[in-house]
Amino acid sequence: MSWKTWLAVTVAFAAGAFTLFSIATRLPAAPEHQVFVNGEVLTMDADNRVVQALSVRSERIEALGSNAEIMALVTDRTEIIDLGGRTLLPGFIDAHGHFPASGLDTVAADLNSPPLGTITDIDGLLAALQQRAAAAPAGEWITGFGYDDTLLAERRHPTREELDTVSSEHPVAILHISGHMVVANSAALTAVGIDADSENPEGGVIARRPGSREPNGLLEETARLPVVAKMLDLGALDFLGMIRAAVREYAQYGVTTAQSGGVAPDMARGLSLASRLGVIPLRLLLFPMEEDFRQLIADGSYSPDDFERERLQMGAVKIIADGSIQGFTGYLTRPYHTPYHGDADYRGYPAVLRERLFEQVLALHRGGYQIAVHGNGDASIDDILDAFAAAQAAHPAADPRFLLIHSQMARKDQIERMAELGVTPSFFAAHTWYWGDRHRDIFIGPERAAQISPGAWAQQAGLRFTSHMDTPVTPMRPLQAVWSMVYRETVSGEVLGPEQRIDVMTALRAVTIDAAWQIFQEDNRGSLEPGKYADLVLLSGSPLRDSHALRQLQVDGTWVNGARIYKRR
């Protein structure tokens, strides 16, 4: 075969493959006209109206009202959906998460303990990793995610030596449930150049063997980043598989706008391409890390054509100011309840020094960018609010919508200051369920644990706030986020801070219209109003009638732009 013939065949094959891929990934189209009748339609508008029916014309909401009013719009070309008394809401908006990392179990071992998983001890953890290693080519990274040292029978992190037993042919690394620590085996440490001569990076810790400078495998905060980069260095097929798994989960639980928080440049470009090709039918907000955003600007990779489209936008720029409470790396004003490594004065530490935080916030604010800062501990929140205030004083903006992600240990005075500064807290309210008992008994004690994710204080201060699941730290379950803000129950059935409970409608707004407002998208999504995108979620029952059972409600259907992307029945 001549080279010209070979080239022609190759081009034809590539064109055919692209055509088939385009057909396979084509976004579903909305009917010309559809109406939803006989239901409880929660509009989440300014008046929280509840109506019976809704009309969608192509991709946009046309009208809302009674069954009679909406049925008057029906023609022989209208598709009629009988809700049968079920509840229709705006599609849920992921106020903070890490799409598509909920699909990590397609490429890594799931090491979660109950109630999230099945791993109860280090032997079980090692066995799960060994199972993946047995099927992997020599030299390939073996990874796991979600292990929780406080739920393992040994009540400690696995060690470098224990991970060495998984395989002598593979670098092995596992991500802590908080996402703020990893444990790496000897091969993984060597691969990223960490050894006894390595110094702690600013904002991070390389844990050492007792009496030695030799790393024991545990890497905290910024020290973990080189290993995490290797763990997420995926091939195209693995990346595609992870995206598809995440899309299935988000659609199944009613999410129509996802967020990829702290997204790296390569992943941002990959997600942009996947969205453009129709692999991701959801709307997607990218929150790049501050240093990565600077790289995108510097190398010319930030193009509106790539990152400013109807279904994908570049959102706030993210800074991580401290770590996690359950990892003992959150930065507190008072020491941890249980002394960390016997140090009764230990309060955690900042991941970004105060002076550097001020510089980063000021530069972004001066450039006109929205800023989202991760802050868990109250000492970190003090620094963040001071940085916001200094930036606003230097360059006043009418509506900066500063975001304070997690705000887990915000004190009442800090909530009141947020209201003064126009800061929006996004609470990881489901902490009360997943870690509430351990926050009370291990990390911060009863008094402070009762005040985490203080929704009632925020409501009293007149703050708009949101609630998120920080997926994959916890599964994407928006109704769990709502339920936790309303009931604040722990896994053991205890109520953690009943005075911080809020009402159901406010909690629903925190995953719909207020979550849209948080990202400057309230004019096109978040509530059911004429002219907005027809992004909808249909629940099997009413969250208003039996609110304690609301997290058990099923999602019967999810629509984006008027097109159904998920159907339970």
Side-chain angles (χ1 to χ4, degrees), residues 257-286:
T257 296
Q259 184 190 122
S260 188
V263 64
D266 285 346
M267 183 171 284
R269 297 184 192 100
L271 291 173
S272 177
L273 178 61
S275 176
R276 188 189 296 275
L277 292 174
V279 177
I280 305 173
L282 312 170
R283 303 191 195 282
L284 187 58
L285 264 290
L286 307 179

Short mmCIF file of all heavy atoms in Angstrom, two decimals, residues 257-286:
data_model
loop_
_atom_site.label_atom_id
_atom_site.label_comp_id
_atom_site.label_asym_id
_atom_site.label_seq_id
_atom_site.Cartn_x
_atom_site.Cartn_y
_atom_site.Cartn_z
N THR A 257 -25.74 21.71 37.89
CA THR A 257 -24.51 22.51 37.79
C THR A 257 -23.50 21.93 38.76
O THR A 257 -23.74 21.89 39.97
CB THR A 257 -24.76 23.99 38.13
OG1 THR A 257 -25.63 24.57 37.16
CG2 THR A 257 -23.44 24.77 38.11
N ALA A 258 -22.38 21.46 38.22
CA ALA A 258 -21.31 20.88 39.03
C ALA A 258 -20.17 21.89 39.14
O ALA A 258 -20.05 22.82 38.35
CB ALA A 258 -20.81 19.58 38.39
N GLN A 259 -19.33 21.67 40.14
CA GLN A 259 -18.16 22.53 40.32
C GLN A 259 -16.91 21.68 40.38
O GLN A 259 -16.89 20.62 41.01
CB GLN A 259 -18.28 23.36 41.60
CG GLN A 259 -17.14 24.36 41.78
CD GLN A 259 -17.12 24.99 43.16
OE1 GLN A 259 -16.14 24.91 43.89
NE2 GLN A 259 -18.22 25.63 43.52
N SER A 260 -15.86 22.15 39.73
CA SER A 260 -14.55 21.51 39.84
C SER A 260 -13.63 22.47 40.57
O SER A 260 -13.03 23.36 39.98
CB SER A 260 -13.99 21.15 38.46
OG SER A 260 -12.82 20.37 38.57
N GLY A 261 -13.58 22.32 41.90
CA GLY A 261 -12.82 23.24 42.74
C GLY A 261 -11.35 22.87 42.79
O GLY A 261 -10.99 21.71 42.96
N GLY A 262 -10.47 23.87 42.66
CA GLY A 262 -9.03 23.62 42.70
C GLY A 262 -8.54 22.88 41.48
O GLY A 262 -7.57 22.12 41.56
N VAL A 263 -9.19 23.09 40.34
CA VAL A 263 -8.86 22.33 39.13
C VAL A 263 -7.51 22.77 38.57
O VAL A 263 -7.20 23.95 38.49
CB VAL A 263 -9.98 22.48 38.08
CG1 VAL A 263 -10.11 23.93 37.60
CG2 VAL A 263 -9.77 21.56 36.90
N ALA A 264 -6.68 21.76 38.19
CA ALA A 264 -5.37 22.02 37.59
C ALA A 264 -5.54 22.37 36.11
O ALA A 264 -6.54 22.01 35.48
CB ALA A 264 -4.48 20.80 37.75
N PRO A 265 -4.57 23.06 35.52
CA PRO A 265 -4.71 23.50 34.11
C PRO A 265 -5.00 22.37 33.14
O PRO A 265 -5.88 22.51 32.28
CB PRO A 265 -3.36 24.17 33.82
CG PRO A 265 -2.90 24.67 35.15
CD PRO A 265 -3.36 23.64 36.14
N ASP A 266 -4.28 21.26 33.23
CA ASP A 266 -4.52 20.17 32.28
C ASP A 266 -5.93 19.60 32.42
O ASP A 266 -6.59 19.29 31.42
CB ASP A 266 -3.48 19.06 32.47
CG ASP A 266 -2.11 19.42 31.93
OD1 ASP A 266 -2.03 20.41 31.16
OD2 ASP A 266 -1.12 18.75 32.26
N MET A 267 -6.38 19.46 33.67
CA MET A 267 -7.73 18.95 33.87
C MET A 267 -8.75 19.97 33.40
O MET A 267 -9.79 19.60 32.82
CB MET A 267 -7.97 18.58 35.33
CG MET A 267 -9.35 17.98 35.57
SD MET A 267 -9.60 17.31 37.23
CE MET A 267 -8.67 15.77 37.12
N ALA A 268 -8.49 21.25 33.60
CA ALA A 268 -9.41 22.29 33.12
C ALA A 268 -9.57 22.20 31.61
O ALA A 268 -10.69 22.27 31.08
CB ALA A 268 -8.91 23.68 33.52
N ARG A 269 -8.46 22.02 30.90
CA ARG A 269 -8.53 21.90 29.44
C ARG A 269 -9.28 20.63 29.05
O ARG A 269 -10.07 20.63 28.10
CB ARG A 269 -7.13 21.90 28.85
CG ARG A 269 -6.35 23.19 29.09
CD ARG A 269 -5.00 23.17 28.39
NE ARG A 269 -4.16 24.26 28.83
CZ ARG A 269 -3.19 24.15 29.74
NH1 ARG A 269 -2.94 22.99 30.30
NH2 ARG A 269 -2.48 25.21 30.08
N GLY A 270 -9.03 19.53 29.76
CA GLY A 270 -9.72 18.27 29.47
C GLY A 270 -11.21 18.36 29.71
O GLY A 270 -12.01 17.87 28.90
N LEU A 271 -11.61 19.02 30.80
CA LEU A 271 -13.03 19.18 31.09
C LEU A 271 -13.69 20.11 30.07
O LEU A 271 -14.84 19.88 29.67
CB LEU A 271 -13.22 19.74 32.51
CG LEU A 271 -12.85 18.78 33.64
CD1 LEU A 271 -12.90 19.51 34.99
CD2 LEU A 271 -13.77 17.57 33.67
N SER A 272 -12.98 21.14 29.65
CA SER A 272 -13.52 22.03 28.63
C SER A 272 -13.78 21.26 27.34
O SER A 272 -14.84 21.41 26.72
CB SER A 272 -12.54 23.18 28.37
OG SER A 272 -13.01 24.01 27.34
N LEU A 273 -12.83 20.42 26.93
CA LEU A 273 -13.01 19.63 25.71
C LEU A 273 -14.17 18.64 25.87
O LEU A 273 -15.01 18.49 24.98
CB LEU A 273 -11.72 18.89 25.38
CG LEU A 273 -11.76 17.97 24.14
CD1 LEU A 273 -12.09 18.78 22.89
CD2 LEU A 273 -10.43 17.23 23.99
N ALA A 274 -14.22 17.96 27.03
CA ALA A 274 -15.29 16.99 27.26
C ALA A 274 -16.67 17.66 27.25
O ALA A 274 -17.64 17.11 26.74
CB ALA A 274 -15.07 16.27 28.59
N SER A 275 -16.74 18.86 27.80
CA SER A 275 -18.00 19.60 27.78
C SER A 275 -18.38 19.98 26.35
O SER A 275 -19.52 19.83 25.92
CB SER A 275 -17.89 20.86 28.64
OG SER A 275 -19.06 21.64 28.57
N ARG A 276 -17.40 20.45 25.60
CA ARG A 276 -17.66 20.86 24.22
C ARG A 276 -18.15 19.68 23.38
O ARG A 276 -19.00 19.83 22.49
CB ARG A 276 -16.39 21.46 23.62
CG ARG A 276 -16.59 22.11 22.25
CD ARG A 276 -15.26 22.49 21.63
NE ARG A 276 -14.55 23.48 22.40
CZ ARG A 276 -14.74 24.79 22.28
NH1 ARG A 276 -15.65 25.25 21.42
NH2 ARG A 276 -14.04 25.65 23.00
N LEU A 277 -17.59 18.48 23.63
CA LEU A 277 -17.95 17.29 22.86
C LEU A 277 -19.25 16.64 23.32
O LEU A 277 -19.70 15.67 22.71
CB LEU A 277 -16.81 16.27 22.93
CG LEU A 277 -15.51 16.65 22.22
CD1 LEU A 277 -14.44 15.62 22.49
CD2 LEU A 277 -15.72 16.84 20.72
N GLY A 278 -19.82 17.15 24.42
CA GLY A 278 -21.08 16.59 24.90
C GLY A 278 -20.93 15.43 25.85
O GLY A 278 -21.92 14.81 26.23
N VAL A 279 -19.71 15.13 26.28
CA VAL A 279 -19.49 14.05 27.24
C VAL A 279 -20.06 14.44 28.60
O VAL A 279 -20.51 13.59 29.37
CB VAL A 279 -17.98 13.73 27.37
CG1 VAL A 279 -17.74 12.66 28.42
CG2 VAL A 279 -17.43 13.26 26.01
N ILE A 280 -20.05 15.75 28.89
CA ILE A 280 -20.59 16.26 30.16
C ILE A 280 -21.85 17.05 29.85
O ILE A 280 -21.78 18.19 29.37
CB ILE A 280 -19.56 17.16 30.87
CG1 ILE A 280 -18.24 16.42 31.08
CG2 ILE A 280 -20.12 17.64 32.21
CD1 ILE A 280 -17.12 17.29 31.63
N PRO A 281 -23.03 16.49 30.11
CA PRO A 281 -24.27 17.22 29.84
C PRO A 281 -24.61 18.25 30.91
O PRO A 281 -25.52 19.06 30.73
CB PRO A 281 -25.32 16.12 29.79
CG PRO A 281 -24.79 15.07 30.71
CD PRO A 281 -23.29 15.11 30.55
N LEU A 282 -23.92 18.20 32.04
CA LEU A 282 -24.15 19.14 33.13
C LEU A 282 -23.54 20.50 32.81
O LEU A 282 -22.66 20.62 31.97
CB LEU A 282 -23.50 18.62 34.42
CG LEU A 282 -23.75 17.18 34.82
CD1 LEU A 282 -22.82 16.80 35.96
CD2 LEU A 282 -25.19 16.98 35.22
N ARG A 283 -24.00 21.52 33.52
CA ARG A 283 -23.27 22.79 33.52
C ARG A 283 -22.09 22.63 34.49
O ARG A 283 -22.19 21.93 35.49
CB ARG A 283 -24.17 23.93 33.95
CG ARG A 283 -25.40 24.06 33.08
CD ARG A 283 -26.17 25.35 33.33
NE ARG A 283 -27.50 25.22 32.74
CZ ARG A 283 -27.76 25.35 31.44
NH1 ARG A 283 -26.77 25.62 30.60
NH2 ARG A 283 -28.98 25.20 30.98
N LEU A 284 -21.00 23.32 34.20
CA LEU A 284 -19.79 23.11 34.97
C LEU A 284 -19.11 24.44 35.25
O LEU A 284 -18.91 25.26 34.36
CB LEU A 284 -18.84 22.19 34.19
CG LEU A 284 -17.57 21.70 34.88
CD1 LEU A 284 -17.90 20.95 36.17
CD2 LEU A 284 -16.78 20.78 33.93
N LEU A 285 -18.77 24.66 36.53
CA LEU A 285 -17.99 25.82 36.97
C LEU A 285 -16.61 25.35 37.37
O LEU A 285 -16.47 24.43 38.19
CB LEU A 285 -18.66 26.51 38.16
CG LEU A 285 -19.57 27.72 37.91
CD1 LEU A 285 -18.75 28.91 37.46
CD2 LEU A 285 -20.66 27.40 36.94
N LEU A 286 -15.58 25.96 36.81
CA LEU A 286 -14.20 25.62 37.15
C LEU A 286 -13.65 26.67 38.12
O LEU A 286 -13.71 27.87 37.84
CB LEU A 286 -13.33 25.59 35.89
CG LEU A 286 -13.81 24.70 34.74
CD1 LEU A 286 -12.84 24.80 33.57
CD2 LEU A 286 -13.98 23.27 35.19
#
